[in-house]
Amino acid sequence: MATKVKEGVNAVDGCEAVLYQVQETLPPEVLEKMGAPPKPDLPIIAANDLLDADGILFGAPTRFGMIPAQVKSFLDTTGGLWAQGSLVGKPAGIFFSTATQGAGQETTALTFVTQLAHHGMIFVPTGYISPAQQSRLDVVVGGSAYGAGTFAGSDGSRQPSEDELIRAYDQGKSFAAIAKKLSV
């Protein structure tokens, strides 16, 4: 999903997406017992990295209907930015994955908005920018008006469908166009 979002951002003239990951908080032996996949070869984000962006799209899995502890742990490091008002007015959005339908795609987005609100960031939802993909009932399609989404399956083995990847690309492109307008 993140790669497709990045492609969408990069499709807007003058915009360039940079992918990061948050620091893992679980010990390697716990991750192994959980059957967690290996981490991607991406830099670990630091709070001050947010200052360099004209807009921020956060990608997060869902854990019990909200962002996982690792993402919350990262957000907890942004207190200094909050105290200085450093992110006020910066556009932000979210895309997400859940294990199954009804596992919290919308609650993850809605509870994430509180993080953005405390920083004074401007939440940029997708709305229904990809109606052909979002309104299908003949296949399972993740996402909502809050952002692109996918269903990973309870074991994490399901990959995003073509419809979900189209929505991810569209979210990146739409978000970048808005962030570009706001950064002028």
Side-chain angles (χ1 to χ4, degrees):
M1 295 282 294
T3 302
K4 279 297 181 186
V5 169
K6 180 181 179 179
E7 287 177 19
V9 168
N10 292 345
V12 176
D13 189 42
C15 295
E16 179 184 5
V18 179
L19 296 179
Y20 291 95
Q21 63 180 325
V22 297
Q23 181 69 51
E24 180 56 68
T25 59
L26 295 175
E29 58 273 9
V30 171
L31 293 170
E32 185 178 334
K33 287 179 182 177
M34 291 172 59
K39 298 294 177 192
D41 185 24
L42 295 171
I44 303 296
I45 193 164
N48 283 339
D49 291 326
L50 300 175
L51 298 173
D52 297 329
D54 291 328
I56 304 159
L57 275 170
F58 294 90
T62 297
R63 187 75 172 155
F64 301 119
M66 63 185 91
I67 57 174
Q70 293 85 341
V71 178
K72 180 65 170 80
S73 179
F74 165 70
L75 292 169
D76 287 345
T77 71
T78 64
L81 300 177
W82 167 80
Q84 297 297 314
S86 300
L87 302 177
V88 171
K90 192 172 290 236
I94 185 170
F95 59 99
F96 36 78
S97 68
T98 57
T100 61
Q101 296 178 53
Q105 290 203 356
E106 289 193 342
T107 59
T108 299
L110 287 171
T111 57
F112 193 77
V113 169
T114 62
Q115 303 289 324
L116 306 178
H118 280 271
H119 277 290
M121 299 176 85
I122 301 168
F123 178 53
V124 181
T126 59
Y128 286 92
I129 58 172
S130 309
Q133 284 71 38
Q134 188 59 29
S135 60
R136 292 189 66 183
L137 296 177
D138 58 326
V139 295
V140 175
V141 180
S144 71
Y146 302 101
T150 189
F151 298 106
S154 58
D155 63 357
S157 64
R158 182 181 179 272
Q159 294 299 302
S161 70
E162 186 61 32
D163 287 322
E164 293 165 335
L165 292 174
I166 289 169
R167 282 191 42 82
Y169 176 90
D170 289 349
Q171 180 175 10
K173 188 173 180 181
S174 173
F175 179 85
I178 292 167
K180 183 176 178 179
K181 288 177 186 175
L182 292 174
S183 72
V184 180

